[in-house]
Amino acid sequence: MNNTYVYIEPEKFLMDVLALLRSFYAKLDIKPVVPESREDVKADAEKAGYFFSVKVMEDGNASVSFKGNGFVFSPEKSSPDDFTSYKKELCRKLYSVFKEDTGRDLPWGMMNGVRPTKPAFIAAMSGRGKSESDEYYKSEYLVTDEKADMSWDIARSELNVLGGCEHVESRCSGDRRGYAGGYSVYIGIPFCPSRCLYCSFTAYPLAAFKDSGDAYVQALTEEMKACSQIFPGKAPDSVYMGGGTPTALNATQLDRIISVAEDVYFAGPSMEFTVEAGRADSITEDKLKVLKKHGISRISVNPQTFNQKTLDLIGRKATADETVKAFNLAREMGFDNINMDIILGLPGEGTDEVKHTCEVIEKLRPDSLTVHSLALKRASFLGEWIEKNGHSAFTNTDEIQSLARDCASNIGLEPYYLYRQKDMSGGFENIGYALPGKECLYNVVMMEEVQSVLAFGAGTISKKVVPASNGTGGRFCRSTDSPSLGELIRSGDALHMDISRCENFKEVGDYINRLPELIERKKELFN
Ligand code: SF4
């Protein structure tokens, strides 16, 4: 496969310029070169020639070369001293060059963060209207009308899930009741029956770790108990057990973990408690019985695709039929909030394959559907696969996206949260759809970072979210002298939240052996 070299100087522009190039030219294997690159890489690139290069010069102009043609970019509104504004102006210019070359717009324009709905959420939270939100998306980031609309709709849904408009009112009057004062719990199980081709999560093949299962459960339950006084006497708003695949554990182990969660965190049938039963090859009747016994309110049975050929290629060992059976079994046992995940843009899949997956989903009628666009993560096995096979097997188009959108709509599901990842095929996004009332609060809390999350298990990250000590009170809410949405966001305290994090070790052995250290770290974070 041929490398397509691009040169970027200085390196601080690398991430943004590269994100633009990879979104416009997803099928090229783009290799970045910066002044600090190894000499042999530079020599290879010089020999092959640069597809694109940009060099910001001392006088503030930038010398740009694209497909052998050169021009000088002279900023009109910014200087290199104001890095953020200069970068945006430069990227806007590059966007127009790449747009002219490819004849297309990017759905999310120049936005490449993982939380693209945040500006709309801030706009809605601070009493601003849709038009101000739209204007921000389009003028700052060149986002399409469709995505600006989608961001607003999702922000409104998120606010509903978070407790409705009375919380917006209460926040504006300085009273931080509701979700902002609460917390959620995440329980991580880092094991899976096998590793999928595209996986970049903490997920170890169970076969290699089966002897560590009980020790892991022991450590996990100890961690949960030891942290029980961080929010004394207070139940979380939601509990989410993910991974990995929690149902990769056996029924006894699952029972033990959930029992401790119930004892220590007052988890009960009225609380949102999700367990990702992700892979059908890990789902058995005895495990579902355990989940049912504990009143687990929401589970996931994730096909990703219903095309057997693709499942074989991506290394998901459960067959399409097994997933249908697992879903039906869960329904028969009374689970009334079942999510399914699918991925668009999987290798070898086009409209016909996605149509087939959508047809099966419409027959099964899950209560929520999370539609992902494949992220071409270089850290996964997929990175190696692409090295060998190139990008030509990946297709993700507007037509494919609309098939999934129609599928959700045909069974009454509405979009309620959205996020993006780096290097998503087609420059699209991941969208969570649900029947009204069946949305997952935890997903919204995570996306908008409006609540603390106490996380247990290997590779998990706890997050402390508190009202900022330097918050500017009334500035958050709409008033005659309040700043524009852009100014509010740029000021960095738009949501008036201070966020700090602490991470547990990813390796199972480190996690088990150094548990006291992790517990202390978490207590320190929250104290
Ligand atoms: S099921 Fe999910 S977590 Fe497990 S290997 Fe596959 S992608 Fe990774």
Side-chain angles (χ1 to χ4, degrees), residues 198-215:
Y198 52 80
C199 182
S200 59
F201 300 109
T202 307
Y204 302 105
L206 191 64
F209 283 84
K210 66 177 184 314
D211 295 338
S212 314
D214 285 340

Side-chain angles (χ1 to χ4, degrees), residues 114-130:
V114 296
R115 295 183 168 84
T117 54
K118 207 154 199 164
F121 185 77
I122 291 167
M125 283 285 281
S126 58
R128 287 159 171 83
K130 179 175 186 304

